[in-house]
Amino acid sequence: MGTADVTRETAGGEEKPWGEVTPEAARRLLVAAVEAFAERGYHATTTRDIAGRAGMSPAALYIHYKTKEELLHRISRIGHDKALEILRSAAEGEGSAAERLAAAVRSFVRWHAGHHMTARVVQYELDALGEEHRTEIVELRRRSDAAVRGILNDGVAAGEFDVPDVPGTTLAVLSLCIDVARWFNTEGRRTPDEVGALYAGLVLRMVGART
């Protein structure tokens, strides 16, 4: 598996993954880090591994990132910002609670499937972050949780959902979506869009949505 595998992650229609990261050398290093962390795990990956995948020297890496942990933080921050954007956009959109919950799940799952390598790093390497960075990312996770919890509360208040335990159900919904990154295979029989639609239906049934 090479760096091209990361650039083929296409959910969201990105032509140039991590295009917000500049200069180009910093972007190449970040793409290489995503690949290495996804394949080997954060702790088993060295800065030499990352630089080599990017076709650069280890010394060149330190021009752009002071530490390996700084690289992980940059990846995690961008990924969690995107996750929050997806969920808030659905939560604040038009339509019934059921329509907004379905939209949130479809988009969230589609991102985790289409960017499964990136999402594995973003979602499963939290403990590798330093305390300050981990606190920052945990706060972003709380905001994502709040976006979904808000939709569920709206649905319960409107009589659309039958959810006795909103916090627990929020956790279940998010966990279901996030886990897609662990098993999704681009060579499988379902596309990210198809998995998103499937999971949206499953979640609506989970909350007892009344159509």
Side-chain angles (χ1 to χ4, degrees):
M1 183 178 292
T3 303
D5 293 278
V6 178
T7 61
R8 281 199 293 267
E9 294 184 334
T10 57
E14 292 178 319
E15 293 182 1
K16 186 176 184 180
W18 307 98
E20 63 269 65
V21 178
T22 57
E24 176 62 18
R27 189 192 73 85
R28 283 169 50 202
L29 286 163
L30 190 142
V31 169
V34 168
E35 175 194 316
F37 294 158
E39 283 186 17
R40 307 186 62 186
Y42 174 81
H43 292 295
T45 298
T46 67
T47 53
R48 184 175 295 275
D49 293 333
I50 296 167
R53 289 169 187 260
M56 301 165 69
S57 70
L61 185 149
Y62 294 112
I63 295 174
H64 302 284
Y65 302 98
K66 295 177 182 177
T67 64
K68 184 175 69 166
E69 193 269 351
E70 183 180 320
L71 250 176
L72 176 62
H73 171 248
R74 183 83 168 112
I75 294 164
S76 189
R77 179 63 200 239
I78 293 173
H80 279 88
D81 280 342
K82 181 61 177 177
L84 180 58
E85 176 190 335
I86 288 169
L87 294 173
R88 276 189 170 169
S89 177
E92 296 169 2
E94 297 181 356
S96 66
E99 289 169 336
R100 288 183 285 131
L101 181 61
V105 171
R106 272 196 307 270
S107 298
F108 203 45
V109 167
R110 188 166 57 234
W111 188 83
H112 280 81
H115 295 87
H116 53 282
M117 288 179 64
T118 298
R120 282 201 298 274
V121 177
V122 168
Q123 298 294 357
Y124 296 118
E125 294 287 3
L126 178 64
D127 289 342
L129 290 170
E131 183 176 356
E132 181 180 353
H133 287 158
R134 186 166 58 249
T135 299
E136 174 189 319
I137 298 303
V138 166
E139 176 57 29
L140 291 174
R141 287 184 177 229
R142 289 196 183 105
R143 294 177 191 174
S144 291
D145 180 281
V148 175
R149 191 168 64 249
I151 301 173
L152 293 180
N153 280 326
D154 288 347
V156 171
E160 291 184 54
F161 300 158
D162 179 13
V163 181
D165 182 349
V166 169
T169 303
T170 299
L171 177 60
V173 170
L174 289 171
S175 297
L176 186 68
C177 296
I178 288 168
D179 191 59
V180 170
R182 182 184 56 79
W183 60 260
F184 187 81
N185 186 337
T186 53
E187 297 179 359
R189 62 189 184 88
R190 285 195 171 98
T191 66
D193 283 337
E194 289 169 340
V195 178
L198 171 65
Y199 274 49
L202 292 173
V203 167
L204 289 178
R205 289 195 290 275
M206 179 192 300
V207 301
R210 293 174 175 81
T211 59

